[in-house]
């Protein structure tokens, strides 16, 4: 659940390079064991959330950030309080309801704030995923989180479909490194 996939070996570092200029209060959704939050909290106030209690416990060593057990599909924050929201490590590929999640990100993000994320695209589809005419392909996989088997949604996007979904939900889009 929190271990990097072989093809993503240096990808998180590439994403961190792209967020180095973020400032202010940052929400790190799906923070895992805290890799992005540790980097971001060097110069910013960061709140990291994850669904795994065990991973949140691993984050506690970082005293520069606050970590909370919370679900990305139901953000427990007031409206328009974050300057930036990040979902690094393919988190957006695993939300149950993409549009509800994106709307909630928009709700907590200040006007002119940044939403920085990465997604795995259709080129990395696993065999269980069936190609569809939808804007994204869907499937599921199971993994162990805190000793419990959990079923995760798996979404794969193409850049055009993703851009359309984000625009439809009120976001301006700048795509870096799409393939």
């Amino acid at each position: 659940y929190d271990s990097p996939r072989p093809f993503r070996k240096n990808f998180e570092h590439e994403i961190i390079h792209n967020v180095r200029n973020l400032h202010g209060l940052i929400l790190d959704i799906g923070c895992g064991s805290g890799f992005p939050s540790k980097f971001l909290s060097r110069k910013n106030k960061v709140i990291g959330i994850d669904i795994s209690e065990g991973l949140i416990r691993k984050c506690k060593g970082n005293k520069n950030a606050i970590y909370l057990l919370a679900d990305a599909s139901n953000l427990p924050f007031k409206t328009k309080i974050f300057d930036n929201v990040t979902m690094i490590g393919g988190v957006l590929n695993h939300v149950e309801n993409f549009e509800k999640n994106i709307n909630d990100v928009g709700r907590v993000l200040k006007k002119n704030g940044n939403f920085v994320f990465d997604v795995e695209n259709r080129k990395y589809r696993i065999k269980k995923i069936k190609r569809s005419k939808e804007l994204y392909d869907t499937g599921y996989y199971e993994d162990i989180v805190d000793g419990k088997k959990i079923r995760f949604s798996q979404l794969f996007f193409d850049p055009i479909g993703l851009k359309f979904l984000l625009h439809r939900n009120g976001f301006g889009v700048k795509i870096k490194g799409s393939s």
Side-chain angles (χ1 to χ4, degrees):
Y1 167 73
D2 191 47
S3 59
R5 294 167 191 89
F7 63 87
R8 298 179 59 91
K9 192 171 184 176
N10 294 315
F11 195 69
E12 279 83 1
H13 293 285
E14 182 182 323
I15 292 295
I16 291 298
H17 177 74
N18 288 323
V19 300
R20 70 185 181 282
N21 294 322
L22 296 182
H23 300 287
L25 182 58
I26 300 172
L27 174 61
D28 182 17
I29 299 175
C31 64
S33 59
F35 170 73
S37 299
K38 287 174 189 169
F39 175 84
L40 293 166
S41 66
R42 290 179 192 165
K43 297 180 181 177
N44 303 286
K45 293 180 181 178
V46 176
I47 297 176
I49 66 166
D50 202 281
I51 60 168
S52 168
E53 192 173 335
L55 291 174
I56 291 294
R57 276 195 303 271
K58 285 183 179 181
C59 295
K60 296 297 181 182
N62 180 7
K63 302 297 182 200
N64 297 326
I66 297 169
Y67 295 98
L68 305 171
L69 186 64
D71 190 329
S73 62
N74 190 18
L75 299 175
F77 304 104
K78 293 179 182 178
T79 300
K80 308 281 183 226
I81 65 166
F82 292 99
D83 298 294
N84 303 282
V85 175
T86 63
M87 292 180 84
I88 298 172
V91 175
L92 199 52
N93 289 98
H94 306 294
V95 298
E96 280 294 322
N97 185 328
F98 176 85
E99 296 207 46
K100 180 185 181 307
N101 184 267
I102 293 301
N103 280 323
D104 215 21
V105 167
R107 180 185 63 78
V108 301
L109 191 60
K110 289 180 181 177
K111 185 177 180 177
N112 298 318
N114 297 295
F115 175 36
V116 180
F117 62 92
D118 65 300
V119 292
E120 297 170 15
N121 65 32
R122 285 180 167 161
K123 288 184 180 181
Y124 296 110
R125 288 191 340 260
I126 55 176
K127 292 178 184 177
K128 293 180 185 177
I129 306 298
K130 294 183 179 177
R131 186 81 173 171
S132 70
K133 294 180 182 176
E134 300 297 322
L135 295 170
Y136 50 86
D137 298 332
T138 62
Y140 294 90
Y141 74 96
E142 292 180 343
D143 205 345
I144 305 297
V145 177
D146 297 333
K148 299 175 194 165
K149 187 186 280 187
I150 295 182
R151 185 176 169 171
F152 288 94
S153 173
Q154 183 75 36
L155 309 175
F156 288 95
F157 304 92
D158 65 62
I160 294 169
L162 181 59
K163 191 172 183 176
F164 173 80
L165 287 166
L166 289 164
H167 274 291
R168 184 165 77 187
N169 286 281
F171 287 90
V173 179
K174 182 177 182 181
I175 297 177
K176 289 185 176 184
S178 62
S179 57

